[in-house]
Amino acid sequence: GSCPASDFDHDLAEVLAGSVGQIPAFNPFCDSVGCNSQATIDYFKVFSQTNYRFDQTDVTASFNGPLFAMPGGDVRLAVGGEYTKDDYITFNVSDASGTAVKLSTRSPGRDIKAVFGELYVPLIGAGNAMPFAQKLELTFAGRWEDYSDFGRTFNPKIGFNWTPAGGIKVHGSYGTSFHAPVLSSNNPGAQAGLLSVIPLSSAELAG
């Protein structure tokens, strides 16, 4: 069997065949004044406009401060939490049915709960500096997230800063990360299509 054509394709096919009452057949090859009547063009002309709106609500709280002192400096800890809510809404205006209709579609949203923390440990500093080790700092961090549509993920990160001498600093780090697809990519109503353009005469464009 064959798939049914869209309303636009069906109307265009009828006009091309000249099978719609008194509406003249559409000629896609001519380019002269009055070649295609306005009634022919109006029969299958459709207006459609789609707009998208992305709403995000984000609440974050964090605390940080020293834990205790070491010869290299104060050990510090930062902890916090975050809540994010994302919504993706599609607005479509179309007169394909003969009457202008405005529809709004709310795609499945996303709630994200997160807890994060970072520990700073200065092993070597001004109080215990030595040759080839003016400073040595370690950092340990982690972020736990709970996605309403993707599940849970934990991403750690460790790093160091080493200063062997004045003006020289070596930095290194390792960590993982996770980035969920944007809501528009996860929208079942998202579409990709091909726009066909039929050139019209200058008189038709002016009319």
Side-chain angles (χ1 to χ4, degrees):
S2 60
C3 296
S6 66
D7 291 341
F8 176 83
D9 293 336
H10 177 71
D11 293 346
L12 179 57
E14 288 184 332
V15 175
L16 286 172
S19 59
V20 185
Q22 301 300 315
I23 298 178
F26 178 77
N27 186 347
F29 304 105
C30 66
D31 186 20
S32 60
V33 177
C35 179
N36 287 300
S37 70
Q38 190 63 43
T40 300
I41 297 172
D42 289 344
Y43 185 76
F44 61 84
K45 183 172 62 176
V46 174
F47 168 80
S48 180
Q49 177 178 327
T50 302
N51 298 316
Y52 304 95
R53 191 180 81 191
F54 178 74
D55 295 334
Q56 183 177 77
T57 302
D58 185 83
V59 179
T60 303
S62 61
F63 306 91
N64 68 84
L67 294 180
F68 53 88
M70 293 179 59
D74 290 340
V75 175
R76 303 182 65 89
L77 175 67
V79 295
E82 183 176 12
Y83 173 77
T84 304
K85 181 176 180 59
D86 295 336
D87 286 304
Y88 185 78
I89 307 173
T90 303
F91 299 92
N92 181 264
V93 181
S94 174
D95 63 358
S97 62
T99 304
V101 177
K102 181 177 181 180
L103 300 174
S104 63
T105 304
R106 182 180 294 271
S107 301
R110 174 182 298 155
D111 294 336
I112 309 171
K113 305 178 186 70
V115 177
F116 53 86
E118 182 173 359
L119 180 67
Y120 167 77
V121 182
L123 295 179
I124 300 176
N128 60 348
M130 60 188 71
F132 302 107
Q134 299 298 307
K135 286 185 178 182
L136 179 59
E137 304 161 336
L138 302 179
T139 56
F140 306 89
R143 183 179 179 91
W144 176 88
E145 294 175 311
D146 182 8
Y147 289 78
S148 60
D149 53 350
F150 281 95
R152 298 173 179 176
T153 178
F154 176 73
N155 295 285
K157 181 179 180 180
I158 59 174
F160 73 90
N161 293 307
W162 171 43
T163 304
I168 301 175
K169 185 176 183 178
V170 180
H171 171 77
S173 64
Y174 170 81
T176 62
S177 63
F178 173 79
H179 181 70
V182 295
L183 286 181
S184 57
S185 298
N186 200 36
N187 177 15
Q191 299 180 1
L194 176 65
L195 174 65
S196 299
V197 179
I198 300 174
L200 301 177
S201 67
S202 56
E204 290 167 332
L205 291 174

